[in-house]
Amino acid sequence: MANKNFFIKTYGCQMNVNDSEKMAGILIREGYISVEDEKNADIVIVNTCSVREKAKEKLFSFLGKLNAIKKKREMKIVVTGCVSQLLKDEIRKRAPYVDIILGTNSYFKIKEAIQKQNYSDFQFYKQWIEIPFEPILRRNNFSAYVSIMEGCDSFCTYCVVPFSRGREKFRPSSSILKEIRFLEEQGFKEVQLLGQNVDSYRDPETGMDLASLLEKVAKTSSIPWIRFLTSHPVKFSIRIAEVMARYNQVLNSIHLPFQAGSNKILKLMNRGYTIEQYLKIIKKIKEIVPSIAISTDIIVGFPGETDEDFERTVEVLKEVEFENMFSFKYSPRPGTKAYYFEDDVPDKVKTERLIYLQNLQKDIQLKNNLKKIGKILRALTETVNKKNSDETVGRIESGRIVNIKGGKVGEFYDVLIEDAGPHNLKGSIWEGGFE
Ligand code: 5AD
Ligand code: SF4
């Protein structure tokens, strides 16, 4: 069959990347061929994100580019993911040349969909839909995403996820463990368990929670590195920290967004905790796992956020000293509760707050990274350095990037840290052994 080259453009989070890997796997099993960019593709699948307004605008500009190609030659354009789910009408109106629109719960129908002329499917499922994992086309052959749940029931007032991905659906632990066993046999070195709200996890078959699942994975598999994200302070169980402390395979790293430091703003966001409760959790985790690396997400300029409210966020950043921080300007999302709040913080102020946080965090990271000089830390290499092909780029347990002289991609190395900047470390492979 002709016209079998496909290209997938992915926006957004790791869940989206994982869905794209699954779609690619399904198509490859059917004899389709994956190509590197849209220029050589007969079928272009755009897997979209709608968490922030910017992501949507990027999508429409990419679709415009595809349309220009489509005017010159045959091309099937497919849009999947969160924007499809939420804004199908806008896509139809602004990009009528799109052939197929699939919602977040129906990406696994990609093969049937592209065999049709025009197709759309936005069905939501209440339960987990298991698709065969063997054909998943992974990003690489050493670090794998494994989804364990999908959707969210938390309804933070600013967030579209509960609408775009639907309610929480949990994957049976038996299939999670089967996929991990398969990855182990394939020689994978790292597994990242994924979900929008992983701490809500409850095995539909046994009722097992995330802490027990992590323990089971650590006990039954020899995968050296196990990570998980994203956590939620309300659902977080301190047993997770205990499992981290007990099993070396479960890395001492957690992504625990606090979003805002002011209780007034947290309430308006419907986060379900006070900042004192958040800090108490952090304190407990640090007691159990002293070397824990905590990363976080923050939104600045949420409706009603005053300078004093923002100052609370600054204080939390100074107090916790996060390993990493992802900060965003609040962006009103249609369909959410906060969309009806007055977006009263001027964009200029949002930008100033964002830059302030980023500079502060940069100083904190630099200070803490400099302390790592002289230490020998294990890293898993992920790529060759684009700027210097004599170097590989890896990650240490905390998630921090390290540039390494020499080395091969996809390997563990003990690295002597020789230099540090705010965002990465530099080092060379340590071959001296440990005293
Ligand atoms: N505006 C800005 N940031 C948002 N996030 C989610 N929704 C919005 C929004 N409407 C951020 C949160 C979340 C991260 C994935 O994206 O910080 O943790
Ligand atoms: Fe969105 Fe809140 Fe759910 Fe995270 S917990 S996905 S921010 S609704």
Side-chain angles (χ1 to χ4, degrees), residues 256 258 278 282 286 293-296 298 316-325 361 364-365 368 400:
L256 195 63
F258 77 94
Y278 179 84
I282 298 283
K286 284 185 174 175
I294 304 165
S295 60
T296 202
I298 298 171
V316 176
L317 216 60
K318 285 184 185 160
E319 179 175 341
V320 178
E321 300 206 348
F322 293 96
E323 182 73 11
N324 236 318
M325 170 204 76
Q361 178 65 16
I364 293 170
Q365 287 182 198
N368 288 331
R400 173 75 58 228

mmCIF file with all atom_site columns, all heavy atoms in Angstrom, residues 256 258 278 282 286 293-296 298 316-325 361 364-365 368 400:
data_model
loop_
_atom_site.group_PDB
_atom_site.id
_atom_site.type_symbol
_atom_site.label_atom_id
_atom_site.label_alt_id
_atom_site.label_comp_id
_atom_site.label_asym_id
_atom_site.label_entity_id
_atom_site.label_seq_id
_atom_site.pdbx_PDB_ins_code
_atom_site.Cartn_x
_atom_site.Cartn_y
_atom_site.Cartn_z
_atom_site.occupancy
_atom_site.B_iso_or_equiv
_atom_site.pdbx_formal_charge
_atom_site.auth_seq_id
_atom_site.auth_comp_id
_atom_site.auth_asym_id
_atom_site.auth_atom_id
_atom_site.pdbx_PDB_model_num
ATOM 1   N N   . LEU A 1 256 ? 6.275  17.458 43.216 1.00 0.00 ? 256 LEU A N   1
ATOM 2   C CA  . LEU A 1 256 ? 5.131  17.760 44.088 1.00 0.00 ? 256 LEU A CA  1
ATOM 3   C C   . LEU A 1 256 ? 4.756  19.241 43.956 1.00 0.00 ? 256 LEU A C   1
ATOM 4   O O   . LEU A 1 256 ? 5.229  20.093 44.708 1.00 0.00 ? 256 LEU A O   1
ATOM 5   C CB  . LEU A 1 256 ? 5.512  17.416 45.543 1.00 0.00 ? 256 LEU A CB  1
ATOM 6   C CG  . LEU A 1 256 ? 4.387  17.317 46.559 1.00 0.00 ? 256 LEU A CG  1
ATOM 7   C CD1 . LEU A 1 256 ? 3.423  16.195 46.230 1.00 0.00 ? 256 LEU A CD1 1
ATOM 8   C CD2 . LEU A 1 256 ? 4.951  17.088 47.966 1.00 0.00 ? 256 LEU A CD2 1
ATOM 9   N N   . PHE A 1 258 ? 3.219  22.844 44.281 1.00 0.00 ? 258 PHE A N   1
ATOM 10  C CA  . PHE A 1 258 ? 2.429  23.543 45.318 1.00 0.00 ? 258 PHE A CA  1
ATOM 11  C C   . PHE A 1 258 ? 1.622  24.687 44.725 1.00 0.00 ? 258 PHE A C   1
ATOM 12  O O   . PHE A 1 258 ? 0.682  25.153 45.331 1.00 0.00 ? 258 PHE A O   1
ATOM 13  C CB  . PHE A 1 258 ? 3.308  23.976 46.501 1.00 0.00 ? 258 PHE A CB  1
ATOM 14  C CG  . PHE A 1 258 ? 4.171  25.184 46.301 1.00 0.00 ? 258 PHE A CG  1
ATOM 15  C CD1 . PHE A 1 258 ? 3.739  26.451 46.686 1.00 0.00 ? 258 PHE A CD1 1
ATOM 16  C CD2 . PHE A 1 258 ? 5.429  25.059 45.758 1.00 0.00 ? 258 PHE A CD2 1
ATOM 17  C CE1 . PHE A 1 258 ? 4.539  27.579 46.526 1.00 0.00 ? 258 PHE A CE1 1
ATOM 18  C CE2 . PHE A 1 258 ? 6.252  26.176 45.582 1.00 0.00 ? 258 PHE A CE2 1
ATOM 19  C CZ  . PHE A 1 258 ? 5.805  27.438 45.958 1.00 0.00 ? 258 PHE A CZ  1
ATOM 20  N N   . TYR A 1 278 ? 1.289  21.702 53.245 1.00 0.00 ? 278 TYR A N   1
ATOM 21  C CA  . TYR A 1 278 ? 2.266  21.330 52.212 1.00 0.00 ? 278 TYR A CA  1
ATOM 22  C C   . TYR A 1 278 ? 3.669  21.262 52.824 1.00 0.00 ? 278 TYR A C   1
ATOM 23  O O   . TYR A 1 278 ? 4.400  20.289 52.626 1.00 0.00 ? 278 TYR A O   1
ATOM 24  C CB  . TYR A 1 278 ? 2.233  22.351 51.067 1.00 0.00 ? 278 TYR A CB  1
ATOM 25  C CG  . TYR A 1 278 ? 3.240  22.048 49.965 1.00 0.00 ? 278 TYR A CG  1
ATOM 26  C CD1 . TYR A 1 278 ? 2.945  21.156 48.943 1.00 0.00 ? 278 TYR A CD1 1
ATOM 27  C CD2 . TYR A 1 278 ? 4.502  22.651 49.964 1.00 0.00 ? 278 TYR A CD2 1
ATOM 28  C CE1 . TYR A 1 278 ? 3.868  20.859 47.943 1.00 0.00 ? 278 TYR A CE1 1
ATOM 29  C CE2 . TYR A 1 278 ? 5.435  22.366 48.976 1.00 0.00 ? 278 TYR A CE2 1
ATOM 30  C CZ  . TYR A 1 278 ? 5.106  21.476 47.965 1.00 0.00 ? 278 TYR A CZ  1
ATOM 31  O OH  . TYR A 1 278 ? 6.042  21.188 46.986 1.00 0.00 ? 278 TYR A OH  1
ATOM 32  N N   . ILE A 1 282 ? 6.506  18.198 53.175 1.00 0.00 ? 282 ILE A N   1
ATOM 33  C CA  . ILE A 1 282 ? 7.901  18.315 52.730 1.00 0.00 ? 282 ILE A CA  1
ATOM 34  C C   . ILE A 1 282 ? 8.853  17.962 53.877 1.00 0.00 ? 282 ILE A C   1
ATOM 35  O O   . ILE A 1 282 ? 9.826  17.239 53.701 1.00 0.00 ? 282 ILE A O   1
ATOM 36  C CB  . ILE A 1 282 ? 8.187  19.760 52.234 1.00 0.00 ? 282 ILE A CB  1
ATOM 37  C CG1 . ILE A 1 282 ? 7.309  20.111 51.045 1.00 0.00 ? 282 ILE A CG1 1
ATOM 38  C CG2 . ILE A 1 282 ? 9.675  19.972 51.945 1.00 0.00 ? 282 ILE A CG2 1
ATOM 39  C CD1 . ILE A 1 282 ? 7.709  19.532 49.729 1.00 0.00 ? 282 ILE A CD1 1
ATOM 40  N N   . LYS A 1 286 ? 11.514 14.900 53.978 1.00 0.00 ? 286 LYS A N   1
ATOM 41  C CA  . LYS A 1 286 ? 12.951 15.152 54.180 1.00 0.00 ? 286 LYS A CA  1
ATOM 42  C C   . LYS A 1 286 ? 13.494 14.384 55.389 1.00 0.00 ? 286 LYS A C   1
ATOM 43  O O   . LYS A 1 286 ? 14.656 14.009 55.420 1.00 0.00 ? 286 LYS A O   1
ATOM 44  C CB  . LYS A 1 286 ? 13.220 16.653 54.334 1.00 0.00 ? 286 LYS A CB  1
ATOM 45  C CG  . LYS A 1 286 ? 13.151 17.408 53.010 1.00 0.00 ? 286 LYS A CG  1
ATOM 46  C CD  . LYS A 1 286 ? 13.551 18.871 53.171 1.00 0.00 ? 286 LYS A CD  1
ATOM 47  C CE  . LYS A 1 286 ? 13.620 19.585 51.842 1.00 0.00 ? 286 LYS A CE  1
ATOM 48  N NZ  . LYS A 1 286 ? 13.898 21.021 51.962 1.00 0.00 ? 286 LYS A NZ  1
ATOM 49  N N   . ALA A 1 293 ? 15.163 14.856 46.332 1.00 0.00 ? 293 ALA A N   1
ATOM 50  C CA  . ALA A 1 293 ? 15.155 16.001 45.406 1.00 0.00 ? 293 ALA A CA  1
ATOM 51  C C   . ALA A 1 293 ? 13.696 16.283 45.069 1.00 0.00 ? 293 ALA A C   1
ATOM 52  O O   . ALA A 1 293 ? 13.021 15.438 44.486 1.00 0.00 ? 293 ALA A O   1
ATOM 53  C CB  . ALA A 1 293 ? 15.936 15.662 44.147 1.00 0.00 ? 293 ALA A CB  1
ATOM 54  N N   . ILE A 1 294 ? 13.239 17.464 45.453 1.00 0.00 ? 294 ILE A N   1
ATOM 55  C CA  . ILE A 1 294 ? 11.825 17.793 45.221 1.00 0.00 ? 294 ILE A CA  1
ATOM 56  C C   . ILE A 1 294 ? 11.734 18.847 44.130 1.00 0.00 ? 294 ILE A C   1
ATOM 57  O O   . ILE A 1 294 ? 12.433 19.862 44.174 1.00 0.00 ? 294 ILE A O   1
ATOM 58  C CB  . ILE A 1 294 ? 11.159 18.319 46.513 1.00 0.00 ? 294 ILE A CB  1
ATOM 59  C CG1 . ILE A 1 294 ? 11.322 17.282 47.641 1.00 0.00 ? 294 ILE A CG1 1
ATOM 60  C CG2 . ILE A 1 294 ? 9.680  18.628 46.285 1.00 0.00 ? 294 ILE A CG2 1
ATOM 61  C CD1 . ILE A 1 294 ? 11.039 17.839 49.025 1.00 0.00 ? 294 ILE A CD1 1
ATOM 62  N N   . SER A 1 295 ? 10.887 18.593 43.151 1.00 0.00 ? 295 SER A N   1
ATOM 63  C CA  . SER A 1 295 ? 10.640 19.623 42.143 1.00 0.00 ? 295 SER A CA  1
ATOM 64  C C   . SER A 1 295 ? 9.182  20.046 42.251 1.00 0.00 ? 295 SER A C   1
ATOM 65  O O   . SER A 1 295 ? 8.364  19.358 42.874 1.00 0.00 ? 295 SER A O   1
ATOM 66  C CB  . SER A 1 295 ? 10.973 19.117 40.745 1.00 0.00 ? 295 SER A CB  1
ATOM 67  O OG  . SER A 1 295 ? 10.181 18.010 40.425 1.00 0.00 ? 295 SER A OG  1
ATOM 68  N N   . THR A 1 296 ? 8.877  21.194 41.656 1.00 0.00 ? 296 THR A N   1
ATOM 69  C CA  . THR A 1 296 ? 7.528  21.730 41.851 1.00 0.00 ? 296 THR A CA  1
ATOM 70  C C   . THR A 1 296 ? 7.041  22.530 40.644 1.00 0.00 ? 296 THR A C   1
ATOM 71  O O   . THR A 1 296 ? 7.831  22.862 39.761 1.00 0.00 ? 296 THR A O   1
ATOM 72  C CB  . THR A 1 296 ? 7.497  22.608 43.127 1.00 0.00 ? 296 THR A CB  1
ATOM 73  O OG1 . THR A 1 296 ? 6.154  22.707 43.590 1.00 0.00 ? 296 THR A OG1 1
ATOM 74  C CG2 . THR A 1 296 ? 8.054  24.008 42.885 1.00 0.00 ? 296 THR A CG2 1
ATOM 75  N N   . ILE A 1 298 ? 4.609  26.028 39.750 1.00 0.00 ? 298 ILE A N   1
ATOM 76  C CA  . ILE A 1 298 ? 4.040  27.248 40.347 1.00 0.00 ? 298 ILE A CA  1
ATOM 77  C C   . ILE A 1 298 ? 3.304  28.030 39.270 1.00 0.00 ? 298 ILE A C   1
ATOM 78  O O   . ILE A 1 298 ? 3.778  28.136 38.133 1.00 0.00 ? 298 ILE A O   1
ATOM 79  C CB  . ILE A 1 298 ? 5.153  28.143 40.940 1.00 0.00 ? 298 ILE A CB  1
ATOM 80  C CG1 . ILE A 1 298 ? 5.888  27.409 42.072 1.00 0.00 ? 298 ILE A CG1 1
ATOM 81  C CG2 . ILE A 1 298 ? 4.585  29.471 41.448 1.00 0.00 ? 298 ILE A CG2 1
ATOM 82  C CD1 . ILE A 1 298 ? 7.129  28.123 42.558 1.00 0.00 ? 298 ILE A CD1 1
ATOM 83  N N   . VAL A 1 316 ? 8.163  30.315 50.171 1.00 0.00 ? 316 VAL A N   1
ATOM 84  C CA  . VAL A 1 316 ? 8.190  28.849 50.083 1.00 0.00 ? 316 VAL A CA  1
ATOM 85  C C   . VAL A 1 316 ? 9.390  28.398 49.249 1.00 0.00 ? 316 VAL A C   1
ATOM 86  O O   . VAL A 1 316 ? 10.093 27.446 49.586 1.00 0.00 ? 316 VAL A O   1
ATOM 87  C CB  . VAL A 1 316 ? 6.864  28.308 49.473 1.00 0.00 ? 316 VAL A CB  1
ATOM 88  C CG1 . VAL A 1 316 ? 6.926  26.798 49.283 1.00 0.00 ? 316 VAL A CG1 1
ATOM 89  C CG2 . VAL A 1 316 ? 5.682  28.678 50.344 1.00 0.00 ? 316 VAL A CG2 1
ATOM 90  N N   . LEU A 1 317 ? 9.620  29.112 48.176 1.00 0.00 ? 317 LEU A N   1
ATOM 91  C CA  . LEU A 1 317 ? 10.752 28.769 47.301 1.00 0.00 ? 317 LEU A CA  1
ATOM 92  C C   . LEU A 1 317 ? 12.069 28.854 48.071 1.00 0.00 ? 317 LEU A C   1
ATOM 93  O O   . LEU A 1 317 ? 12.937 27.980 47.947 1.00 0.00 ? 317 LEU A O   1
ATOM 94  C CB  . LEU A 1 317 ? 10.762 29.765 46.129 1.00 0.00 ? 317 LEU A CB  1
ATOM 95  C CG  . LEU A 1 317 ? 11.185 29.205 44.789 1.00 0.00 ? 317 LEU A CG  1
ATOM 96  C CD1 . LEU A 1 317 ? 10.258 28.098 44.375 1.00 0.00 ? 317 LEU A CD1 1
ATOM 97  C CD2 . LEU A 1 317 ? 11.199 30.307 43.733 1.00 0.00 ? 317 LEU A CD2 1
ATOM 98  N N   . LYS A 1 318 ? 12.190 29.915 48.884 1.00 0.00 ? 318 LYS A N   1
ATOM 99  C CA  . LYS A 1 318 ? 13.425 30.098 49.673 1.00 0.00 ? 318 LYS A CA  1
ATOM 100 C C   . LYS A 1 318 ? 13.551 29.021 50.742 1.00 0.00 ? 318 LYS A C   1
ATOM 101 O O   . LYS A 1 318 ? 14.629 28.525 51.008 1.00 0.00 ? 318 LYS A O   1
ATOM 102 C CB  . LYS A 1 318 ? 13.420 31.485 50.348 1.00 0.00 ? 318 LYS A CB  1
ATOM 103 C CG  . LYS A 1 318 ? 13.702 32.619 49.383 1.00 0.00 ? 318 LYS A CG  1
ATOM 104 C CD  . LYS A 1 318 ? 13.771 33.935 50.149 1.00 0.00 ? 318 LYS A CD  1
ATOM 105 C CE  . LYS A 1 318 ? 13.938 35.110 49.216 1.00 0.00 ? 318 LYS A CE  1
ATOM 106 N NZ  . LYS A 1 318 ? 13.548 36.388 49.826 1.00 0.00 ? 318 LYS A NZ  1
ATOM 107 N N   . GLU A 1 319 ? 12.408 28.678 51.332 1.00 0.00 ? 319 GLU A N   1
ATOM 108 C CA  . GLU A 1 319 ? 12.454 27.730 52.445 1.00 0.00 ? 319 GLU A CA  1
ATOM 109 C C   . GLU A 1 319 ? 12.748 26.299 51.973 1.00 0.00 ? 319 GLU A C   1
ATOM 110 O O   . GLU A 1 319 ? 13.586 25.619 52.535 1.00 0.00 ? 319 GLU A O   1
ATOM 111 C CB  . GLU A 1 319 ? 11.119 27.771 53.207 1.00 0.00 ? 319 GLU A CB  1
ATOM 112 C CG  . GLU A 1 319 ? 11.111 26.778 54.348 1.00 0.00 ? 319 GLU A CG  1
ATOM 113 C CD  . GLU A 1 319 ? 9.867  26.853 55.216 1.00 0.00 ? 319 GLU A CD  1
ATOM 114 O OE1 . GLU A 1 319 ? 9.160  27.881 55.179 1.00 0.00 ? 319 GLU A OE1 1
ATOM 115 O OE2 . GLU A 1 319 ? 9.619  25.868 55.934 1.00 0.00 ? 319 GLU A OE2 1
ATOM 116 N N   . VAL A 1 320 ? 12.070 25.873 50.925 1.00 0.00 ? 320 VAL A N   1
ATOM 117 C CA  . VAL A 1 320 ? 12.182 24.452 50.531 1.00 0.00 ? 320 VAL A CA  1
ATOM 118 C C   . VAL A 1 320 ? 13.457 24.194 49.725 1.00 0.00 ? 320 VAL A C   1
ATOM 119 O O   . VAL A 1 320 ? 14.056 23.138 49.833 1.00 0.00 ? 320 VAL A O   1
ATOM 120 C CB  . VAL A 1 320 ? 10.930 23.993 49.738 1.00 0.00 ? 320 VAL A CB  1
ATOM 121 C CG1 . VAL A 1 320 ? 11.066 22.547 49.290 1.00 0.00 ? 320 VAL A CG1 1
ATOM 122 C CG2 . VAL A 1 320 ? 9.661  24.172 50.571 1.00 0.00 ? 320 VAL A CG2 1
ATOM 123 N N   . GLU A 1 321 ? 13.912 25.161 48.966 1.00 0.00 ? 321 GLU A N   1
ATOM 124 C CA  . GLU A 1 321 ? 15.056 24.980 48.057 1.00 0.00 ? 321 GLU A CA  1
ATOM 125 C C   . GLU A 1 321 ? 14.830 23.775 47.140 1.00 0.00 ? 321 GLU A C   1
ATOM 126 O O   . GLU A 1 321 ? 15.472 22.732 47.264 1.00 0.00 ? 321 GLU A O   1
ATOM 127 C CB  . GLU A 1 321 ? 16.365 24.841 48.830 1.00 0.00 ? 321 GLU A CB  1
ATOM 128 C CG  . GLU A 1 321 ? 16.659 26.059 49.687 1.00 0.00 ? 321 GLU A CG  1
ATOM 129 C CD  . GLU A 1 321 ? 18.153 26.253 49.953 1.00 0.00 ? 321 GLU A CD  1
ATOM 130 O OE1 . GLU A 1 321 ? 18.935 25.338 49.671 1.00 0.00 ? 321 GLU A OE1 1
ATOM 131 O OE2 . GLU A 1 321 ? 18.502 27.344 50.445 1.00 0.00 ? 321 GLU A OE2 1
ATOM 132 N N   . PHE A 1 322 ? 13.895 23.937 46.225 1.00 0.00 ? 322 PHE A N   1
ATOM 133 C CA  . PHE A 1 322 ? 13.545 22.854 45.299 1.00 0.00 ? 322 PHE A CA  1
ATOM 134 C C   . PHE A 1 322 ? 14.713 22.541 44.365 1.00 0.00 ? 322 PHE A C   1
ATOM 135 O O   . PHE A 1 322 ? 15.493 23.422 44.014 1.00 0.00 ? 322 PHE A O   1
ATOM 136 C CB  . PHE A 1 322 ? 12.329 23.250 44.453 1.00 0.00 ? 322 PHE A CB  1
ATOM 137 C CG  . PHE A 1 322 ? 11.064 23.379 45.253 1.00 0.00 ? 322 PHE A CG  1
ATOM 138 C CD1 . PHE A 1 322 ? 10.641 24.618 45.712 1.00 0.00 ? 322 PHE A CD1 1
ATOM 139 C CD2 . PHE A 1 322 ? 10.310 22.258 45.557 1.00 0.00 ? 322 PHE A CD2 1
ATOM 140 C CE1 . PHE A 1 322 ? 9.474  24.739 46.459 1.00 0.00 ? 322 PHE A CE1 1
ATOM 141 C CE2 . PHE A 1 322 ? 9.139  22.373 46.304 1.00 0.00 ? 322 PHE A CE2 1
ATOM 142 C CZ  . PHE A 1 322 ? 8.728  23.616 46.754 1.00 0.00 ? 322 PHE A CZ  1
ATOM 143 N N   . GLU A 1 323 ? 14.765 21.303 43.967 1.00 0.00 ? 323 GLU A N   1
ATOM 144 C CA  . GLU A 1 323 ? 15.766 20.878 42.994 1.00 0.00 ? 323 GLU A CA  1
ATOM 145 C C   . GLU A 1 323 ? 15.473 21.532 41.636 1.00 0.00 ? 323 GLU A C   1
ATOM 146 O O   . GLU A 1 323 ? 16.364 21.902 40.903 1.00 0.00 ? 323 GLU A O   1
ATOM 147 C CB  . GLU A 1 323 ? 15.709 19.346 42.867 1.00 0.00 ? 323 GLU A CB  1
ATOM 148 C CG  . GLU A 1 323 ? 16.714 18.729 41.935 1.00 0.00 ? 323 GLU A CG  1
ATOM 149 C CD  . GLU A 1 323 ? 18.126 18.745 42.507 1.00 0.00 ? 323 GLU A CD  1
ATOM 150 O OE1 . GLU A 1 323 ? 18.292 19.038 43.699 1.00 0.00 ? 323 GLU A OE1 1
ATOM 151 O OE2 . GLU A 1 323 ? 19.066 18.466 41.735 1.00 0.00 ? 323 GLU A OE2 1
ATOM 152 N N   . ASN A 1 324 ? 14.186 21.638 41.349 1.00 0.00 ? 324 ASN A N   1
ATOM 153 C CA  . ASN A 1 324 ? 13.756 22.175 40.071 1.00 0.00 ? 324 ASN A CA  1
ATOM 154 C C   . ASN A 1 324 ? 12.409 22.848 40.232 1.00 0.00 ? 324 ASN A C   1
ATOM 155 O O   . ASN A 1 324 ? 11.596 22.407 41.051 1.00 0.00 ? 324 ASN A O   1
ATOM 156 C CB  . ASN A 1 324 ? 13.584 21.018 39.088 1.00 0.00 ? 324 ASN A CB  1
ATOM 157 C CG  . ASN A 1 324 ? 14.413 21.228 37.855 1.00 0.00 ? 324 ASN A CG  1
ATOM 158 O OD1 . ASN A 1 324 ? 14.478 22.341 37.325 1.00 0.00 ? 324 ASN A OD1 1
ATOM 159 N ND2 . ASN A 1 324 ? 15.043 20.163 37.394 1.00 0.00 ? 324 ASN A ND2 1
ATOM 160 N N   . MET A 1 325 ? 12.153 23.876 39.429 1.00 0.00 ? 325 MET A N   1
ATOM 161 C CA  . MET A 1 325 ? 10.864 24.557 39.511 1.00 0.00 ? 325 MET A CA  1
ATOM 162 C C   . MET A 1 325 ? 10.365 24.849 38.099 1.00 0.00 ? 325 MET A C   1
ATOM 163 O O   . MET A 1 325 ? 11.120 25.306 37.256 1.00 0.00 ? 325 MET A O   1
ATOM 164 C CB  . MET A 1 325 ? 11.047 25.876 40.264 1.00 0.00 ? 325 MET A CB  1
ATOM 165 C CG  . MET A 1 325 ? 9.841  26.775 40.218 1.00 0.00 ? 325 MET A CG  1
ATOM 166 S SD  . MET A 1 325 ? 10.254 28.514 40.485 1.00 0.00 ? 325 MET A SD  1
ATOM 167 C CE  . MET A 1 325 ? 10.947 28.985 38.926 1.00 0.00 ? 325 MET A CE  1
ATOM 168 N N   . GLN A 1 361 ? 15.225 31.049 41.829 1.00 0.00 ? 361 GLN A N   1
ATOM 169 C CA  . GLN A 1 361 ? 15.445 29.605 41.746 1.00 0.00 ? 361 GLN A CA  1
ATOM 170 C C   . GLN A 1 361 ? 16.811 29.291 41.121 1.00 0.00 ? 361 GLN A C   1
ATOM 171 O O   . GLN A 1 361 ? 17.484 28.349 41.522 1.00 0.00 ? 361 GLN A O   1
ATOM 172 C CB  . GLN A 1 361 ? 14.298 28.961 40.934 1.00 0.00 ? 361 GLN A CB  1
ATOM 173 C CG  . GLN A 1 361 ? 14.435 27.471 40.722 1.00 0.00 ? 361 GLN A CG  1
ATOM 174 C CD  . GLN A 1 361 ? 14.353 26.654 42.012 1.00 0.00 ? 361 GLN A CD  1
ATOM 175 O OE1 . GLN A 1 361 ? 13.917 27.141 43.050 1.00 0.00 ? 361 GLN A OE1 1
ATOM 176 N NE2 . GLN A 1 361 ? 14.802 25.410 41.933 1.00 0.00 ? 361 GLN A NE2 1
ATOM 177 N N   . ILE A 1 364 ? 19.357 29.538 43.779 1.00 0.00 ? 364 ILE A N   1
ATOM 178 C CA  . ILE A 1 364 ? 19.265 28.396 44.705 1.00 0.00 ? 364 ILE A CA  1
ATOM 179 C C   . ILE A 1 364 ? 19.903 27.167 44.046 1.00 0.00 ? 364 ILE A C   1
ATOM 180 O O   . ILE A 1 364 ? 20.682 26.444 44.669 1.00 0.00 ? 364 ILE A O   1
ATOM 181 C CB  . ILE A 1 364 ? 17.782 28.110 45.068 1.00 0.00 ? 364 ILE A CB  1
ATOM 182 C CG1 . ILE A 1 364 ? 17.224 29.269 45.901 1.00 0.00 ? 364 ILE A CG1 1
ATOM 183 C CG2 . ILE A 1 364 ? 17.643 26.777 45.793 1.00 0.00 ? 364 ILE A CG2 1
ATOM 184 C CD1 . ILE A 1 364 ? 15.720 29.224 46.130 1.00 0.00 ? 364 ILE A CD1 1
ATOM 185 N N   . GLN A 1 365 ? 19.568 26.956 42.780 1.00 0.00 ? 365 GLN A N   1
ATOM 186 C CA  . GLN A 1 365 ? 20.109 25.784 42.077 1.00 0.00 ? 365 GLN A CA  1
ATOM 187 C C   . GLN A 1 365 ? 21.623 25.855 41.948 1.00 0.00 ? 365 GLN A C   1
ATOM 188 O O   . GLN A 1 365 ? 22.317 24.872 42.145 1.00 0.00 ? 365 GLN A O   1
ATOM 189 C CB  . GLN A 1 365 ? 19.462 25.648 40.690 1.00 0.00 ? 365 GLN A CB  1
ATOM 190 C CG  . GLN A 1 365 ? 18.038 25.175 40.780 1.00 0.00 ? 365 GLN A CG  1
ATOM 191 C CD  . GLN A 1 365 ? 17.359 24.966 39.437 1.00 0.00 ? 365 GLN A CD  1
ATOM 192 O OE1 . GLN A 1 365 ? 16.140 24.905 39.381 1.00 0.00 ? 365 GLN A OE1 1
ATOM 193 N NE2 . GLN A 1 365 ? 18.104 24.864 38.361 1.00 0.00 ? 365 GLN A NE2 1
ATOM 194 N N   . ASN A 1 368 ? 23.262 25.045 45.271 1.00 0.00 ? 368 ASN A N   1
ATOM 195 C CA  . ASN A 1 368 ? 23.215 23.612 45.602 1.00 0.00 ? 368 ASN A CA  1
ATOM 196 C C   . ASN A 1 368 ? 24.010 22.760 44.625 1.00 0.00 ? 368 ASN A C   1
ATOM 197 O O   . ASN A 1 368 ? 24.590 21.750 45.008 1.00 0.00 ? 368 ASN A O   1
ATOM 198 C CB  . ASN A 1 368 ? 21.763 23.142 45.700 1.00 0.00 ? 368 ASN A CB  1
ATOM 199 C CG  . ASN A 1 368 ? 21.118 23.696 46.966 1.00 0.00 ? 368 ASN A CG  1
ATOM 200 O OD1 . ASN A 1 368 ? 21.803 23.922 47.955 1.00 0.00 ? 368 ASN A OD1 1
ATOM 201 N ND2 . ASN A 1 368 ? 19.827 23.945 46.919 1.00 0.00 ? 368 ASN A ND2 1
ATOM 202 N N   . ARG A 1 400 ? 18.775 16.075 37.806 1.00 0.00 ? 400 ARG A N   1
ATOM 203 C CA  . ARG A 1 400 ? 19.667 17.132 37.314 1.00 0.00 ? 400 ARG A CA  1
ATOM 204 C C   . ARG A 1 400 ? 20.502 16.621 36.143 1.00 0.00 ? 400 ARG A C   1
ATOM 205 O O   . ARG A 1 400 ? 21.004 15.494 36.162 1.00 0.00 ? 400 ARG A O   1
ATOM 206 C CB  . ARG A 1 400 ? 20.587 17.581 38.465 1.00 0.00 ? 400 ARG A CB  1
ATOM 207 C CG  . ARG A 1 400 ? 21.682 18.540 38.079 1.00 0.00 ? 400 ARG A CG  1
ATOM 208 C CD  . ARG A 1 400 ? 21.209 19.956 37.825 1.00 0.00 ? 400 ARG A CD  1
ATOM 209 N NE  . ARG A 1 400 ? 20.538 20.546 38.964 1.00 0.00 ? 400 ARG A NE  1
ATOM 210 C CZ  . ARG A 1 400 ? 19.356 21.187 38.888 1.00 0.00 ? 400 ARG A CZ  1
ATOM 211 N NH1 . ARG A 1 400 ? 18.724 21.302 37.735 1.00 0.00 ? 400 ARG A NH1 1
ATOM 212 N NH2 . ARG A 1 400 ? 18.792 21.694 39.967 1.00 0.00 ? 400 ARG A NH2 1
#
